[in-house]
Amino acid sequence: MAAPPAEEDAMARYRSPLVSRYASPEMGYNFSERKKFGTWRRLWLYLAQAEKSLGLPITDEQIQEMEANLDNIDFAMAAEEEKKLRHDVMAHVHTFAHCCPKAAAIIHLGATSCYVGDNTDLIVLRDGFDLLLPKLARVISRLADFAEKYADMPTLGFTHYQPAQLTTVGKRCCLWIQDLCMDLQNLERAQNDLRFRGVKGTTGTQASFLQLFEGDHSKVEELDRLVTAKAGFKRSYMVTGQTYSRKVDIEVLSVLASLGASIHKICTDIRLLANLKEIEEPFEKEQIGSSAMPYKRNPMRSERCCSLARHLMTLVLDPLQTASVQWFERTLDDSANRRVCLAEAFLTADIILSTLQNISEGLVVYPKVIERRIRQELPFMATENIIMAMVKAGGNRQDCHERIRVLSQKAAAVVKQEGGDNDFIDRVRADSYFAPIHKQLESLLDPSSFTGRAPQQVAKFLKQEVRPALDPYQNKMGGKTELAL
């Protein structure tokens, strides 16, 4: 194995493709070191401000010094401190104190590491949802426009991936939209359910703060309320151990995993439709589908979504196992795991939503291919209509059924054994028995008569369920998205 380059070379180190290749700058920043440690400092400021307002001897000068250095983070110094202390929070306490000498004595006063660690995680999770929700709404909006445009276009339905009753292109899209609307509702609920850990002390009893305020329970409760409000939360968890319950992480990653399942299903459908040449994802002018087969138009965007969605769906296993092994008030075997799974879940969800938005903004429909496939299958589906028409014209149902059975099997043999087109209707036209309805055959084979209420369902669904769900996001819809590498 070759030795790594001696000089500092970013390209000589592994970089997660979730950040370096795919995710948006906004989501990358949300889980960045700068956001994390900048939030720690803000939490120390909130704590000091609240403690001062409740009577602890903290000066305006100390508060101002902290405010002036919130983003003045010496990361090199913090790294050296952590190497020495083997404790990330204390390393940053010392680093913050170094640039705030007057405030050094009151930074982190009464708090435990999870005051900054867990509360920052909750802020980051909340802010992550703030980034995902408009993206999900945009995807739904784009697909709703597509469904509305193609609400009336008949297409062959499939059950078991076998030809089934006709539906419409727009109705099928509404199946995708309905799943995503459920995800939108789930993400909103998960975000609204988030509470702040607040000011709870080492094992959640608030003992250190009760001591600071000389046994005044009301001041301890007010301190918790003040800091929670400063951090932008309406509520904090009433009881915690050293950490907030790790079941919260399960709830958060569960809704993201469910979103991953929805997108995997949608993009699998698109990949199957691309194989049928009925609908394709956008394909750029100079895009190459295959290095060996230049004619290919591979659905690489949909494949990327499926690939990353599988990763997203598996990540929920981490918090499930973590929550199950948290002994008593907490163990530290959650920490390293959560550094990975929480960030990766949001980064992955961010990527697949951006990619699906790009797909939904450029879906290409091939009506002639869709019509041809309908013509191949519809004659067999129309047999019941033909029987009913013959009965109305005076025919006997049993005689008609037998003739159609014979003709349809002969037509099926042409398709399956000879590779020919479905000639069932030609056989009906050539059979004098069916002469009473020959003039009706075109109307009996009108594809729109086989789609039931699909167009009406699309219109009602979009009007009553989809558009209202998108109303809160109307100012965040934005323009088209560019595809990442």
Side-chain angles (χ1 to χ4, degrees):
M1 179 186 294
E7 71 277 8
E8 186 65 28
D9 181 358
M11 301 308 290
R13 292 185 175 190
Y14 173 77
R15 298 181 299 161
S16 169
L18 294 177
V19 175
S20 66
R21 189 172 180 90
Y22 299 131
S24 67
E26 295 81 7
M27 191 62 81
Y29 172 73
N30 190 51
F31 287 92
S32 69
E33 299 287 271
R34 186 165 295 281
K35 167 77 177 276
K36 175 181 177 179
F37 297 126
T39 304
W40 283 14
R41 291 193 174 189
R42 283 161 176 78
L43 287 167
W44 283 320
L45 173 64
Y46 300 156
L47 181 62
Q49 288 173 330
E51 288 174 336
K52 178 180 182 297
S53 71
L54 291 170
L56 292 188
I58 296 172
T59 67
D60 289 338
E61 192 175 22
Q62 289 172 315
I63 297 295
Q64 290 163 7
E65 189 179 52
M66 294 173 72
E67 289 175 331
N69 287 280
L70 291 175
D71 297 308
N72 178 27
I73 304 174
D74 187 337
F75 287 99
M77 179 182 179
E80 285 300 315
E81 289 288 335
E82 184 172 356
K83 189 181 297 184
K84 179 174 62 178
L85 301 172
R86 309 302 297 176
H87 197 289
D88 56 351
V89 173
M90 288 309 299
H92 277 270
V93 168
H94 288 186
T95 303
F96 195 19
H98 181 74
C99 58
C100 299
K102 295 174 183 176
I106 56 93
I107 293 173
H108 198 66
L109 182 59
T112 188
S113 297
C114 286
Y115 167 70
V116 288
D118 270 31
N119 283 325
T120 292
D121 287 345
L122 290 162
I123 289 170
V124 168
L125 295 179
R126 178 196 65 194
D127 294 352
F129 280 125
D130 278 341
L131 294 172
L132 292 182
L133 282 164
K135 288 194 172 189
L136 178 51
R138 284 196 291 270
V139 170
I140 294 171
S141 176
R142 293 346 182 226
L143 289 175
D145 292 341
F146 180 85
E148 190 169 49
K149 181 177 180 180
Y150 294 100
D152 300 324
M153 180 180 286
T155 191
L156 188 64
F158 290 94
T159 60
H160 315 276
Y161 202 35
Q162 301 299 314
Q165 187 74 40
L166 298 192
T167 183
T168 70
V169 172
K171 171 62 189 301
R172 174 178 286 148
C173 184
C174 284
L175 300 180
W176 304 340
I177 294 169
Q178 181 167 250
D179 286 351
L180 293 176
C181 283
M182 293 171 66
D183 292 316
L184 185 71
Q185 186 178 46
N186 288 338
L187 264 65
E188 290 172 339
R189 175 190 52 76
Q191 185 186 45
N192 291 334
D193 284 349
L194 284 177
R195 301 189 193 185
F196 203 50
R197 178 189 177 272
V199 183
K200 298 296 194 298
T202 54
T203 57
T205 66
Q206 299 176 305
S208 58
F209 297 104
L210 192 63
Q211 184 176 0
L212 278 175
F213 289 105
E214 299 180 346
D216 191 330
H217 290 268
S218 63
K219 283 191 175 182
V220 176
E221 290 186 3
E222 181 64 5
L223 178 69
D224 201 357
R225 189 196 67 78
L226 285 172
V227 175
T228 297
K230 286 177 181 291
F233 285 81
K234 295 179 180 178
R235 299 177 299 167
S236 66
Y237 295 106
M238 294 186 70
V239 295
T240 71
Q242 190 170 90
T243 69
Y244 68 79
S245 170
R246 295 312 185 214
K247 283 186 70 68
V248 174
D249 296 342
I250 297 174
E251 293 301 308
V252 169
L253 264 64
S254 290
V255 299
L256 298 182
S258 184
L259 172 65
S262 299
I263 293 178
H264 198 296
K265 186 265 193 275
I266 292 167
C267 290
T268 299
D269 283 357
I270 293 172
R271 291 164 66 189
L272 293 170
L273 289 167
N275 173 260
L276 297 174
K277 297 180 174 60
E278 292 188 5
I279 294 178
E280 286 183 343
E281 65 178 39
F283 197 89
E284 295 170 24
K285 184 178 180 181
E286 297 183 10
Q287 182 175 331
I288 295 174
S290 167
S291 61
M293 296 168 279
Y295 60 87
K296 293 190 76 178
R297 290 169 63 95
N298 297 335
M300 54 84 69
R301 293 163 170 83
S302 298
E303 290 172 321
R304 176 184 297 174
C305 284
C306 289
S307 180
L308 290 171
R310 287 201 299 274
H311 178 59
L312 177 56
M313 287 186 281
T314 63
L315 287 172
V316 71
L317 296 176
D318 278 330
L320 280 167
Q321 295 182 71
T322 295
S324 71
V325 297
Q326 286 302 286
W327 304 344
F328 303 113
E329 279 65 48
R330 79 89 52 102
T331 69
L332 196 60
D333 64 349
D334 63 337
S335 178
N337 185 287
R338 294 175 69 252
R339 288 176 192 265
V340 176
C341 70
L342 296 181
E344 288 200 356
F346 277 85
L347 289 164
T348 307
D350 178 70
I351 296 159
I352 59 178
L353 282 173
S354 294
T355 308
L356 184 56
Q357 181 186 337
N358 179 267
I359 293 170
S360 62
E361 289 170 348
L363 286 172
V364 181
V365 178
Y366 295 106
K368 296 299 180 183
V369 178
I370 293 173
E371 290 172 9
R372 183 177 184 275
R373 183 158 285 108
I374 290 173
R375 287 197 302 272
Q376 287 289 311
E377 301 293 342
L378 191 59
F380 292 147
M381 297 178 191
T383 54
E384 187 65 21
N385 288 13
I386 292 172
I387 291 173
M388 292 300 100
M390 280 296 296
V391 170
K392 289 179 181 179
N396 178 281
R397 187 190 184 285
Q398 281 66 39
D399 292 341
C400 183
H401 183 279
E402 177 59 19
R403 285 179 176 268
I404 286 179
R405 185 187 68 81
V406 173
L407 294 180
S408 63
Q409 289 189 3
K410 290 180 179 178
V414 170
V415 173
K416 294 179 180 180
Q417 297 174 23
E418 301 176 19
D421 291 336
N422 188 332
D423 63 359
F424 172 72
I425 296 302
D426 292 335
R427 293 176 185 273
V428 171
R429 285 195 176 100
D431 191 329
S432 60
Y433 173 81
F434 295 99
I437 63 164
H438 280 170
K439 292 182 179 180
Q440 300 178 48
L441 286 176
E442 287 300 322
S443 62
L444 292 174
L445 290 167
D446 179 5
S448 63
S449 68
F450 289 83
T451 60
R453 297 191 63 254
Q456 290 75 21
Q457 288 179 349
V458 171
K460 187 174 183 179
F461 174 60
L462 295 180
K463 180 180 179 181
Q464 295 189 10
E465 293 196 21
V466 179
R467 303 297 186 192
L470 298 179
D471 281 344
Y473 304 97
Q474 288 304 321
N475 295 329
K476 299 179 181 180
M477 287 302 175
K480 290 189 175 182
T481 186
E482 295 296 325
L483 185 68
L485 286 175

